[in-house]
Amino acid sequence: METTIFSKRTTRREMLRAGAGVAGAGVLAGLFPASLLAGARASELQQPSTSAERIAQMKAQAGTTPLVTSKLRENIYLLSGPGGNMVVLNGADGKILVDSSFSNVAPKIKSAMDGMGGSPLKMLINTHWHVDHTDGNEAMHQAGAVILAHENTRKRLSTPQDMTAVGLHFDAAPADAWPQQTFTDGTKLYFDGEELTLAHFPAAHTDSDIYVRYEKGNVLHMGDVWFSGSYPFFDPSTGGNIDGMIAGAAQGIALADAETKIVPGHGPVGDKVGLGKSHDMMVTVRDRVQKLKASGKTLQETVAAKPTADLDATWAKGIVTGDFMTTLVYSTL
């Protein structure tokens, strides 16, 4: 099916011809199994698996991935492995969980939180709407959590959505998975002796991104506005764009000091220096691609020019290839 992906100039077929698009997304290992979208050019001619089948395969892979618990601060814990990175604040007032991974990971998450002590789960915060961060919402709400997120997360979860860049369609989530409390610009929480600042990033990875800053613990959760140590993925179908990712990284840098532990949506926990390196890489790629596009190069020609070639050894180690990064950037300029 021929559909416009990001602009009138860039179609799904053009992305595939450029060797990117769904083909590049085939290595979205943290979100999509590497085998899921392989052979994208062939899929234009053959019957591909359905979106529902691919989502089910994602969830199955997540269900077999170990969940690792590590301490960030005295009462702040990281849960990592399946789906996006999660953070738990634990104390006498109860627990606050940031992001919920996939639904079939919920028993592991609950077990990990139980191991931190007997205080109940009181709140779940979503950093954005994507399935690897929200599919467990229903289970967490049914376990007693009030779900808090940006208003666009509720909008996205309560209506059908398409991630066109990777060929996935999502039906509306169950009502119990929708945030019960939302905000537009920002809000504060005072819980377990901690002060949490939540604020909206202008459209970056999506139009629903927020950060969560633990003021006393000096921990900053960036959600998918930061992919630590790798090229980022952003979702143009719901507002994601390279300029927003760069601005979001700059905002995170301004919020951090040398001692801040910065939690990315995917990848290892980092710091202000690591986030700064990601910011500078994105600026470099953006500027190179922008120059090629401004000179009249098509998407296919821009990808063929390999503007990320000298960067790939360092940054193409995660879930996005150099060609796919070029495609995403080109298509949102």
Side-chain angles (χ1 to χ4, degrees):
M1 178 177 67
E2 188 79 11
T3 58
T4 299
I5 292 190
F6 308 128
S7 69
K8 293 181 179 178
R9 295 186 57 191
T10 308
T11 66
R12 180 169 185 257
R13 190 176 300 276
E14 286 171 330
M15 291 177 71
L16 296 173
R17 285 173 180 165
V22 176
V27 295
L28 288 171
L31 177 56
F32 309 104
S35 61
L36 259 182
L37 303 175
R41 288 190 178 117
S43 76
E44 284 290 279
L45 302 175
Q46 302 172 1
Q47 286 294 326
S49 61
T50 67
S51 178
E53 288 170 341
R54 286 186 274 156
I55 294 167
Q57 189 174 347
M58 268 192 270
K59 293 171 70 170
Q61 178 174 315
T64 63
T65 302
L67 181 69
V68 179
T69 302
S70 53
K71 182 178 285 191
L72 295 174
R73 301 297 189 199
E74 183 59 33
N75 64 335
I76 303 174
Y77 297 83
L78 175 73
L79 302 181
S80 60
N85 286 328
M86 295 165 279
V87 170
V88 180
L89 175 67
N90 180 49
D93 294 335
K95 296 182 176 74
I96 295 180
L97 172 67
V98 176
D99 287 338
S100 63
S101 189
F102 291 95
S103 58
N104 56 337
V105 183
K108 294 180 183 178
I109 298 170
K110 292 175 182 176
S111 177
M113 289 192 294
D114 287 345
M116 299 171 192
S119 59
L121 175 64
K122 292 292 187 69
M123 180 172 288
L124 167 65
I125 299 169
N126 290 148
T127 60
H128 63 293
W129 77 269
H130 280 164
V131 65
D132 55 324
H133 299 258
T134 62
D135 194 53
N137 278 15
E138 182 179 28
M140 297 305 160
H141 178 57
Q142 292 174 354
V146 173
I147 305 173
L148 172 65
H150 188 266
E151 61 182 9
N152 286 342
T153 294
R154 181 178 171 93
K155 172 185 173 182
R156 298 295 181 188
L157 290 178
S158 62
T159 57
Q161 299 296 320
D162 291 290
M163 292 178 67
T164 319
V166 288
L168 292 178
H169 169 80
F170 297 91
D171 293 332
D176 275 359
W178 305 350
Q180 290 85 45
Q181 295 182 12
T182 64
F183 60 92
T184 53
D185 297 324
T187 191
K188 285 270 193 181
L189 299 174
Y190 300 90
F191 204 85
D192 289 329
E194 180 61 78
E195 177 183 345
L196 289 82
T197 302
L198 285 65
H200 183 227
F201 288 110
H205 175 70
T206 68
D207 62 6
S208 62
D209 305 305
I210 67 167
Y211 68 78
V212 181
R213 176 165 171 77
Y214 303 79
E215 302 291 352
K216 294 183 179 180
N218 200 10
V219 173
L220 174 64
H221 196 322
M222 292 281 290
D224 279 6
V225 175
W226 188 29
F227 284 66
S228 177
S230 67
Y231 289 132
F233 172 72
F234 43 97
D235 179 13
S237 296
T238 57
N241 66 93
I242 185 59
D243 285 334
M245 291 292 288
I246 291 169
Q251 189 173 352
I253 292 166
L255 289 166
D257 60 33
E259 303 302 320
T260 306
K261 292 188 177 182
I262 307 179
V263 179
H266 298 270
V269 172
D271 57 17
K272 186 172 184 174
V273 172
L275 181 56
K277 290 178 180 178
S278 292
H279 170 274
D280 294 348
M281 171 273 293
M282 289 190 289
V283 170
T284 297
V285 176
R286 189 269 313 274
D287 290 351
R288 290 176 181 179
V289 173
Q290 193 168 47
K291 183 177 180 180
L292 289 165
K293 186 172 184 178
S295 73
K297 299 287 187 185
T298 66
L299 170 62
Q300 187 174 3
E301 290 169 339
T302 300
V303 172
K306 301 293 182 183
T308 67
D310 61 321
L311 303 172
D312 288 350
T314 300
W315 297 101
K317 297 177 179 178
I319 64 177
V320 173
T321 65
D323 283 358
F324 190 36
M325 177 67 174
T326 299
T327 298
L328 287 170
V329 172
Y330 184 101
S331 302
T332 62
L333 289 173

